[in-house]
Amino acid sequence: MSIPIITNLMNYLDQSVTAYHAVINAENVLSAKGFQKLAEKEAWDLKPNCKYYMIRGESALAAWQMGDGTTAGVRLIGAHTDSPGLHLKPNAQYSKNDYIQLGVEVYGGPLLASWMDRDLSLAGRVILKDAGQLKIVPFRIDEVLLRVPQLAIHLNREVNDKGLILNKQKHLPPIFTLENLTGDPVDQDLVKILIAQTLQVKKIAIAGWQLECYDTQKANLSGLKQEFLVSGRIDNLTMCHAALNALTSEDYVSPQTSMIALFDNEEIGSSTQNGAASSFIRDIIQRVADTADSKHALQRSLANSVCISADGAHAVHPNYTEYHDPQHAVKLNRGPVIKVNANHRYATSAITSAMFEQLCEDVNIPVQHYIHKTDLPCGSTIGPITASGLGIPVVDVGNAMLSMHSIRETAGVDDHEMMIKVMQQFFTKEDVFSV
Ligand code: ZN
């Protein structure tokens, strides 16, 4: 019996507690579906209609099914693997009033108050010294380990009227443990000891780590009809999962190449080794285009390419309707959302919007339109970066969600399957600009 897609998504969310884990879990799906792993350092021998994937920097992944070896271009779906949160500082451990705490940095733009009083733990990657080499291994502690307790209302009487103000340096370090009752000093490298114990290696074998806090609460369904999905990292692992499912669910034997790109570091502007502003996807498209053996193959391929940038969209919040444009109030479980911004914070143009709307119509799925309220600064996505970096048309879309960047976000259950269907149609359709 096949697992319902929403259960599959919830498993993916639970297992993908960091961008590294999101990539490992995507890799597992791809290799099970016969996609062949390629190393960037090697020469590639790409064959028409064959399936491949490549990982850069452990936290970004691209996968594709080759076209027929002409300059028919790429149908690209882009999403991102990272989520805002609290990352451990290198010398994290310190003592204060008998507590041992861990210093953290804020990554991206989380809703900080949502990180208070949660059952947190640690995950990320560890660098080991292994037979004269540095080796990277994923790391995760399943048990609840950390907590950032709020100040009691009796000590902060105005908090409900004035809101919770958090100083990032002072108020965010989670509590890790207590000093020894005996008065004996605690080890100064408790994090290293914990890593060594968890990975069952000697302390001396640990060369470094990149760890972040994550919420141990698993994804769940809520609502009278179980119509809501609640979880961490809905932005943007739901779109990574949708793209992955669309690519692996069918055999796309077509002139053009069907490709997904799951970038890291969208939340901090994408200018990293494997963010959307890097050479990552262009380098892959270059190698795919090289198989065409035609003059100006890359430029001709790009001229035939088009991209769907998939990321969260702000659903209208019933308690805060004044923050939404009344003509563009998008709703949960009412279908994919096309996001438009005159200043190109979203990359959608009239033509790519019409293209996406037609894809929805092709598969009988409703579509919604989002505009950020004009007197509020609009967020952005990998869409404009991809459009300018590759010089290809892009449509920015996503599924409606509430509490974006909260440690626990809310989305609509039905929207997920609808988005996958449209993505499948994007890969299947002969000419996406035909009606
Ligand atoms: Zn996002």
Side-chain angles (χ1 to χ4, degrees):
M1 201 180 78
S2 71
I3 304 170
I5 194 70
I6 202 71
T7 310
N8 193 290
L9 169 62
M10 286 159 70
N11 289 337
Y12 184 68
L13 288 164
D14 292 341
Q15 288 162 10
S16 305
V17 291
T18 71
Y20 310 114
H21 295 84
V23 164
I24 291 166
N25 297 322
E27 178 172 19
N28 291 340
V29 173
L30 291 162
S31 55
K33 295 275 188 175
F35 282 70
Q36 186 191 329
K37 187 173 189 173
L38 297 172
E40 204 166 6
K41 288 178 185 171
E42 306 292 328
W44 296 355
D45 184 20
L46 302 173
K47 298 269 190 308
N49 305 124
C50 288
K51 301 173 182 183
Y52 304 98
Y53 71 95
M54 191 198 100
I55 293 169
R56 187 189 273 186
E58 292 84 50
S59 55
L61 175 148
W64 65 98
Q65 178 163 9
M66 292 289 292
D68 63 1
T70 65
T71 54
V74 175
R75 300 272 170 85
L76 176 65
I77 300 176
H80 65 91
T81 55
D82 62 323
S83 304
L86 306 178
H87 289 206
L88 225 57
K89 292 178 178 175
N91 300 323
Q93 182 183 335
Y94 68 92
S95 302
K96 207 172 180 184
N97 294 81
D98 256 7
Y99 294 103
I100 312 275
Q101 290 177 268
L102 298 180
V104 287
E105 274 190 296
V106 176
Y107 176 84
L111 278 170
L112 290 174
S114 69
W115 284 75
M116 304 290 110
D117 297 328
R118 305 291 303 185
D119 294 347
L120 305 176
S121 196
L122 281 178
R125 62 178 174 172
V126 171
I127 317 301
L128 297 179
K129 294 174 203 165
D130 185 44
Q133 292 285 310
L134 294 178
K135 185 179 144 197
I136 305 166
V137 292
F139 181 85
R140 174 178 180 170
I141 296 204
D142 293 326
E143 292 78 26
V144 180
L145 189 69
L146 302 168
R147 195 171 190 85
V148 191
Q150 285 198 77
L151 189 59
I153 185 101
H154 315 82
L155 306 175
N156 190 9
R157 290 282 184 195
E158 294 178 321
V159 66
N160 287 337
D161 299 316
K162 295 198 169 163
L164 183 61
I165 310 289
L166 295 166
N167 178 288
K168 289 177 183 147
Q169 172 71 19
K170 197 175 167 196
H171 298 139
L172 298 181
I175 288 173
F176 185 33
T177 185
L178 290 169
E179 294 277 9
N180 290 326
L181 258 180
T182 55
D184 295 334
V186 294
D187 249 300
Q188 284 311 296
D189 51 1
L190 287 177
V191 174
K192 202 175 204 177
I193 293 168
L194 179 69
I195 293 170
Q197 284 169 352
T198 308
L199 295 178
Q200 297 189 312
V201 296
K202 292 205 169 83
K203 250 175 36 170
I204 199 162
I206 300 167
W209 57 83
Q210 258 175 297
L211 300 182
E212 54 194 273
C213 302
Y214 79 91
D215 186 2
T216 57
Q217 189 176 2
K218 293 195 179 326
N220 222 330
L221 299 181
S222 91
L224 180 62
K225 299 175 213 153
Q226 301 281 277
E227 62 269 65
F228 306 118
L229 167 70
V230 288
S231 173
R233 305 173 299 280
I234 283 177
D235 170 16
N236 186 26
L237 294 186
T238 54
M239 291 302 103
C240 290
H241 181 267
L244 192 61
N245 259 271
L247 184 70
T248 56
S249 61
E250 287 178 38
D251 204 19
Y252 298 106
V253 177
S254 49
Q256 74 278 355
T257 295
S258 305
M259 187 180 286
I260 64 168
L262 314 181
F263 298 103
D264 195 5
N265 303 125
E266 188 272 347
E267 300 293 356
I268 53 162
S270 297
S271 290
T272 58
Q273 178 200 6
N274 54 7
S278 75
S279 63
F280 181 51
I281 208 65
R282 193 182 183 90
D283 287 350
I284 293 171
I285 294 176
Q286 169 84 65
R287 293 202 201 196
V288 168
D290 283 348
T291 63
D293 193 25
S294 131
K295 201 176 177 191
H296 310 307
L298 175 66
Q299 288 77 7
R300 295 174 67 193
S301 295
L302 287 174
N304 282 319
S305 297
V306 58
C307 170
I308 291 178
S309 156
D311 207 338
H314 300 292
V316 63
H317 194 308
N319 299 349
Y320 299 90
T321 51
E322 68 275 23
Y323 287 91
H324 300 268
D325 185 296
Q327 296 302 110
H328 301 89
V330 300
K331 294 170 186 164
L332 302 176
N333 289 331
R334 299 288 185 268
V337 178
I338 300 172
K339 301 184 279 182
V340 177
N341 179 261
N343 297 301
H344 280 253
R345 302 285 292 163
Y346 304 132
T348 310
S349 68
I351 184 73
T352 57
S353 175
M355 172 202 79
F356 190 83
E357 214 167 317
Q358 184 63 46
L359 292 173
C360 293
E361 197 181 314
D362 293 344
V363 287
N364 221 358
I365 278 169
V367 67
Q368 311 184 76
H369 294 268
Y370 180 78
I371 290 269
H372 208 65
K373 199 165 173 255
T374 317
D375 54 5
L376 286 173
C378 184
S380 192
T381 68
I382 59 145
I385 295 164
T386 308
S388 57
L390 296 178
I392 65 173
V394 175
V395 62
D396 259 301
V397 305
N399 280 340
M401 60 182 291
L402 294 166
S403 319
M404 192 183 285
H405 291 193
S406 164
I407 199 167
R408 207 146 170 89
E409 301 165 325
T410 299
V413 165
D414 298 340
D415 289 323
H416 196 62
E417 200 163 356
M418 288 195 256
M419 183 60 89
I420 293 171
K421 276 189 184 152
V422 183
M423 288 176 169
Q424 288 168 328
Q425 175 66 2
F426 177 63
F427 286 145
T428 309
K429 196 170 179 180
E430 208 170 303
D431 175 3
V432 282
F433 293 105
S434 71
V435 291

